[in-house]
Amino acid sequence: MDTISKLYESQQAGPKYRAVADALKQAIAQGDLAVGDRLPPVRELAWHLKITPGTVARAYTILTDDGLVVAEVGRGTYVADRKRPPTPGPLLSFDETTPDNINLYFSRPPDVGQVALISDGMRRLADTPRRSLMDYPSAEAYAPARRAVLRWLSDAVLGPADEDQVVLSHGGQSGVSLVLQSVLKGPSPVVLVEEVFYPGFRRAAQLARAEIVPVPMDAHGLIPAALDELCQKHEAQVLCTSAEVHNPTGLFTPPERRDEIAKVAARHGLNVLEDDCYRLGPSRAPTYRALLPDLGWYVNSLSKTLAPSLRIGFVVAPAAQARRLRQTAEHGFFGLSEPLAMLVEDLLQREETYEVTTRAREEIARYVRAAVNILGRYDLTWNEQVPFLWLRLPQGWRAGSFAQAAEAQGVRIRAAEEFVTRDGRVPHAVRIGVNAQLSLKTFETAIARLRDMLDNPPERMTV
């Protein structure tokens, strides 16, 4: 440790993480660290050098990428034997598809470095103190992760928020369920949703034994007068909405309309749950949590920007209702495991994660532009910062029949029927997910097949 410290102090001016990496490289080169030697645990070396654990972790990542060290789950990080053959890569690539099965049903982010970041973060969990792996988690243990979440959400206009109002959930869908469980009361509660809405709202309401009532929409989102009428008629307790990026239409609710909706909600004591999981770029308007400090709830996740498999979401509660939300989570599933919360903290405090999400946004924008170039002559709603497209079909097509015809052509998309109530009015439209884990060529092939269907409709259509 003393040798590393001296080598670190001898480095020229520059980023601290680079100085640590260079010191370790020098220690390996001159034999102070031999093949098989274990590097100090991240937090121990950080304390010794009087720098942050994130700085040391970043240096370890550089050495891992250079092949100088190897991290072993449960054991630590060791100087690698560079004469040994490299570890084989994954057996399957992300582009696991065939011409007869191109999946645009879901949106998926590209791997532009986050797999390596997540894997590295998991390896660093090997240095977790034994106590953290052998005890029930405490509220204090989650404070660093909650602070990291607030930094991650800093481009959303949340209004005043502190770490005590943040709860980590198992993905955005779990966050929606947590809010409904925290708010709904009585034997037959009513939840209002947009006329065309994210199906997860329905599933969460069903778990809470609540009735779903759709609110009419126009080109700017919910119609305030219709919302006011339905609040009076049903004594609704919660409104579920996606104002920044409406799923599935991609519409944006402008600030003036949000103000009107917030006034209706305040008048009726209506809680507003805002699902902001599909926004990739900065917020364009204040959230309902900012507009309704006592009634606004905010849900987000890492699924669309980093990796769906992590199943990590965030809920930011109104200050007065934060304790109720925490209790709902703790009584329901005890909260995230502490190692997973530590992974969240690690990822969200690293500058590389923010760089990765920027690259992911740029790559998704490239796929969106490719789709627009192919389908641009049709009625398409799109935004480069939204990982799906909403295609309104020409006269004659119905959403369900078009989706079935697309699947027969080897392309899976989502029909509008999935986004309405059972007896709701079905738009003649489909949602096309931007699956950026496919090669761009494969994605363009799928979009071209959809265009060919629109250009050459069958003689007999289902009406």
Side-chain angles (χ1 to χ4, degrees):
M1 189 81 75
D2 290 337
T3 299
I4 297 173
S5 180
K6 290 178 181 178
L7 292 172
Y8 170 75
E9 292 170 358
S10 70
Q11 300 301 313
Q12 299 298 319
K16 291 181 180 179
Y17 72 87
R18 178 58 65 182
V20 176
D22 289 344
L24 291 169
K25 286 180 180 180
Q26 188 174 342
I28 293 171
Q30 63 192 30
D32 294 311
L33 287 172
V35 171
D37 283 354
R38 186 176 188 267
L39 269 61
V42 168
R43 294 181 185 276
E44 183 178 333
L45 182 57
W47 180 86
H48 192 78
L49 298 179
K50 296 180 175 56
I51 56 180
T52 66
T55 301
V56 176
R58 189 170 183 179
Y60 280 23
T61 299
I62 291 172
L63 268 63
T64 302
D65 291 343
D66 290 346
L68 293 174
V69 301
V70 59
E72 298 181 9
V73 177
R75 298 188 61 224
T77 304
Y78 295 82
V79 178
D81 182 356
R82 307 199 67 183
K83 296 179 181 179
R84 291 166 56 186
T87 303
L91 297 177
L92 297 173
S93 72
F94 275 123
D95 198 0
E96 297 175 36
T97 186
T98 68
D100 297 326
N101 181 27
I102 302 176
N103 192 340
L104 305 184
Y105 193 81
F106 297 109
S107 304
R108 289 193 172 108
D111 174 22
V112 288
Q114 66 266 48
V115 170
L117 279 175
I118 294 166
S119 299
D120 187 58
M122 290 179 171
R123 284 192 293 268
R124 285 199 297 277
L125 287 178
D127 293 325
T128 300
R130 182 175 181 272
R131 178 193 59 77
S132 298
L133 298 176
M134 294 298 294
D135 201 356
Y136 287 105
S138 64
E140 293 75 18
Y142 291 94
R146 294 196 298 264
R147 286 194 292 270
V149 166
L150 286 178
R151 181 194 175 200
W152 176 260
L153 298 176
S154 60
D155 60 351
V157 186
L158 293 174
D162 62 45
E163 65 187 57
D164 290 335
Q165 294 152 22
V166 177
V167 166
L168 278 67
S169 62
H170 290 289
Q173 177 64 34
S174 172
V176 170
S177 292
L178 281 174
V179 174
L180 295 190
Q181 291 174 46
S182 300
V183 172
L184 295 178
K185 301 175 182 177
S188 303
V190 171
V191 173
L192 301 179
V193 295
E194 287 141 330
E195 189 174 24
V196 182
F197 61 95
Y198 163 56
F201 292 154
R202 180 195 297 114
R203 291 190 287 270
Q206 288 172 337
L207 287 173
R209 298 180 179 176
E211 178 187 358
I212 283 278
V213 175
V215 181
M217 301 171 63
D218 61 17
H220 299 297
L222 294 162
I223 299 173
L227 175 65
D228 187 46
E229 180 181 344
L230 290 170
C231 284
Q232 297 180 55
K233 180 178 179 180
H234 295 282
E235 297 184 357
Q237 299 178 32
V238 182
L239 166 66
C240 295
T241 181
S242 305
E244 191 72 31
V245 176
H246 181 254
N247 181 18
T249 68
L251 294 177
F252 165 72
T253 301
E256 299 79 10
R257 177 62 62 85
R258 296 190 200 199
D259 287 338
E260 294 180 62
I261 291 169
K263 289 175 183 176
V264 173
R267 192 158 58 245
H268 293 280
L270 178 71
N271 287 272
V272 179
L273 186 167
E274 182 171 352
D275 180 351
D276 195 22
C277 290
Y278 273 98
R279 176 179 56 82
L280 303 182
S283 293
R284 292 173 285 173
T287 66
Y288 285 109
R289 189 184 181 281
L291 297 173
L292 294 163
D294 297 325
L295 297 168
W297 305 73
Y298 180 84
V299 176
N300 204 312
S301 81
L302 296 180
S303 295
K304 306 302 182 293
T305 48
L306 284 180
S309 65
L310 287 178
R311 306 311 305 143
I312 294 173
F314 325 116
V315 183
V316 187
Q321 305 199 60
R323 184 170 180 271
R324 187 189 309 173
L325 177 67
R326 290 197 304 272
Q327 288 178 334
T328 301
E330 291 164 2
H331 295 171
F333 60 94
F334 295 100
L336 294 187
S337 66
E338 189 170 340
L340 188 54
M342 292 173 68
L343 177 62
V344 173
E345 175 195 356
D346 177 79
L347 286 173
L348 300 189
Q349 73 178 357
R350 299 175 69 179
E351 292 302 323
E352 300 99 313
T353 303
Y354 292 81
E355 294 166 3
V356 159
T357 56
T358 297
R359 292 198 298 271
R361 288 198 297 268
E362 292 170 350
E363 189 69 2
I364 288 170
R366 192 162 70 100
Y367 279 63
V368 171
R369 289 194 296 270
V372 173
N373 286 338
I374 296 170
L375 289 176
R377 75 173 71 115
Y378 290 99
D379 190 354
L380 197 66
T381 298
W382 59 277
N383 185 305
E384 290 187 359
Q385 298 298 312
V386 176
F388 60 81
L389 306 99
W390 182 246
L391 173 64
R392 295 174 185 83
L393 300 170
Q395 186 174 5
W397 279 112
R398 294 295 183 266
S401 60
F402 187 85
Q404 290 175 5
E407 189 162 1
Q409 294 295 319
V411 182
R412 289 194 64 206
I413 54 179
R414 299 189 78 167
E417 282 93 337
E418 300 187 35
F419 300 96
V420 299
T421 57
R422 182 175 299 178
D423 54 354
R425 182 181 63 85
V426 179
H428 305 317
V430 294
R431 197 193 76 172
I432 304 167
V434 176
N435 184 350
Q437 291 176 15
L438 302 172
S439 68
L440 183 59
K441 181 178 179 181
T442 299
F443 179 75
E444 289 176 326
T445 296
I447 299 299
R449 290 180 186 174
L450 299 180
R451 180 201 57 200
D452 291 344
M453 289 171 53
L454 295 169
D455 289 348
N456 304 284
E459 293 183 6
R460 299 184 63 182
M461 297 184 184
T462 302
V463 295

